[in-house]
Amino acid sequence: MRVPLPRPQTANEWIEYAYTGAGEVIDRVREAQVLLVNKCRITAEVMDQAPGLKMIQLMATGMDNVDQVAARERGIVVRNVVNYGPDAVAEHAMACVLQLTRRVPEWQGLVNAGQWSKSRFFCMHDFPMRSLKSMTLGVLGNGAIGDHVAQFARAFGMAVIRVERRDATEVRPGYVAFQEALARCDVLSLHCPLNDQTRGLMGAAEFAAMKPGAILVNTARGALVQFDALKASLDSGHLGGAAIDVLEIEPPPADHPMLTWSHPRCIVTPHIAWATLEAQANLASIAMRQVEEFMRGVSQ
């Protein structure tokens, strides 16, 4: 994080590490009573080596890096931070939609290559562009981020549909069935959690069912998308574009298929949709308020 963490007012001994590798976790948590952590894995083994541990405060919304069953069995409170920056993620999603519909990276590439200077005319028409007012956005995931994306999209004049879960036995009022939505959406934005039902959600069959020229945006979890299928759909020209802010392994290995392959209609960013300075400050504030409340409760 690029913003400082506030300190709790309750008396404490504060120890901070800028980075902790997997092999350093146990040694660094042995004496901890309250642990602030983001992506480090906190397993039952780690907890057993920290007998005084009473609280784990995640500096994130996702909780999959902590063994929550083991924590409950040991009486350890686990808290996360929710809704600290839904507008930040939604802004990023819409920025990517605008880049892909107005072809911003491709125009910039032509300019950098000197093509504008060589043109006989004042402007260029190499890439067709679309107005958002003519497009339909599908939002899969009904949390605060999805709500903000829908709000921003409507401000641009887009039609917005709520997409029902793929495995739903019935369609909720106000929602559109998953397969129908794939065929209708010009843009599909993913905001659903990663679980057994959503892992690999978007694969070859789903991309084939999407409207020709449609755009996929994923700012949720990397493993929602099957990347080989995404690449094939973009290479074939069926998909009109994709914006990926998350991968299933982070940081990814240098030979990850989304890093070794480059496509002018695919934007890959390093899990930064959430990371405006305002959202980081809000995350820190909420997390420390929760820690403070816990510490006061324990000390009373």
Side-chain angles (χ1 to χ4, degrees):
M1 291 178 61
R2 297 186 65 86
V3 300
L5 277 174
R7 300 293 191 264
Q9 298 302 307
T10 304
N12 69 90
E13 179 185 358
W14 181 274
I15 301 175
E16 184 172 324
Y17 298 101
Y19 173 79
T20 297
E24 301 173 303
V25 174
I26 288 178
D27 283 341
R28 291 185 174 180
V29 305
R30 288 187 191 279
E31 306 300 323
Q33 294 176 298
V34 176
L35 180 63
L36 280 73
V37 64
N38 192 340
K39 296 299 182 183
C40 292
R41 294 194 61 78
I42 309 300
T43 62
E45 178 188 6
V46 171
M47 296 176 204
D48 287 340
Q49 297 300 314
L53 187 60
K54 297 180 174 65
M55 180 193 191
I56 299 171
Q57 173 63 61
L58 286 154
M59 304 298 293
T61 299
M63 303 176 71
D64 50 301
N65 58 312
V66 173
D67 187 332
Q68 296 176 65
V69 173
R72 283 194 297 271
E73 291 173 347
R74 291 157 178 76
I76 299 171
V77 173
V78 181
R79 299 291 302 274
N80 65 338
V81 181
V82 298
N83 295 340
Y84 59 85
D87 52 336
V89 180
E91 287 172 3
H92 182 89
M94 291 306 300
C96 290
V97 171
L98 283 165
Q99 285 203 70
L100 290 168
T101 53
R102 298 306 300 264
R103 314 292 287 262
V104 176
E106 291 159 285
W107 289 122
Q108 186 67 63
L110 285 185
V111 172
N112 291 346
Q115 295 304 307
W116 192 16
S117 298
K118 297 175 183 177
S119 174
R120 294 173 57 193
F121 304 102
F122 76 98
C123 73
M124 305 178 72
H125 297 284
D126 296 58
F127 306 121
M129 297 181 291
R130 295 191 61 187
S131 170
L132 296 190
K133 290 179 65 175
S134 69
M135 301 175 72
T136 296
L137 170 79
V139 177
L140 181 56
N142 61 356
I145 296 174
D147 288 344
H148 276 73
V149 171
Q151 175 188 344
F152 293 165
R154 291 189 183 100
F156 279 101
M158 298 184 79
V160 177
I161 60 176
R162 294 284 187 177
V163 183
E164 186 56 271
R165 295 185 301 270
R166 180 177 60 178
D167 59 346
T169 55
E170 59 183 59
V171 178
R172 290 168 285 178
Y175 285 71
V176 174
F178 182 77
Q179 289 296 327
E180 179 185 346
L182 293 182
R184 285 177 54 183
C185 292
D186 297 287
V187 180
L188 177 62
S189 193
L190 305 182
H191 303 286
C192 47
L194 177 64
N195 52 41
D196 290 341
Q197 288 70 47
T198 61
R199 187 176 298 276
L201 173 73
M202 299 302 298
E206 288 72 28
F207 292 132
M210 290 180 72
K211 191 174 183 178
I215 292 169
L216 175 75
V217 178
N218 184 18
T219 55
R221 289 292 181 265
L224 297 174
V225 176
Q226 298 177 35
F227 293 113
D228 287 343
L230 174 64
K231 289 172 56 181
S233 189
L234 283 166
D235 280 336
S236 73
H238 179 71
L239 271 190
I244 304 296
D245 186 54
V246 284
L247 296 175
E248 79 285 13
I249 302 171
E250 297 175 344
D255 61 352
H256 190 284
M258 295 304 288
L259 303 187
T260 58
W261 170 82
S262 178
H263 192 285
R265 308 284 292 138
C266 185
I267 298 169
V268 180
T269 50
H271 203 145
I272 46 78
W274 68 278
T276 62
L277 293 176
E278 294 82 358
Q280 291 186 52
N282 199 31
L283 166 64
S285 176
I286 294 170
M288 294 311 301
R289 184 179 70 242
Q290 293 176 169
V291 168
E292 183 77 38
E293 290 170 351
F294 177 81
M295 292 173 67
R296 287 178 178 172
V298 169
S299 63
Q300 290 174 356

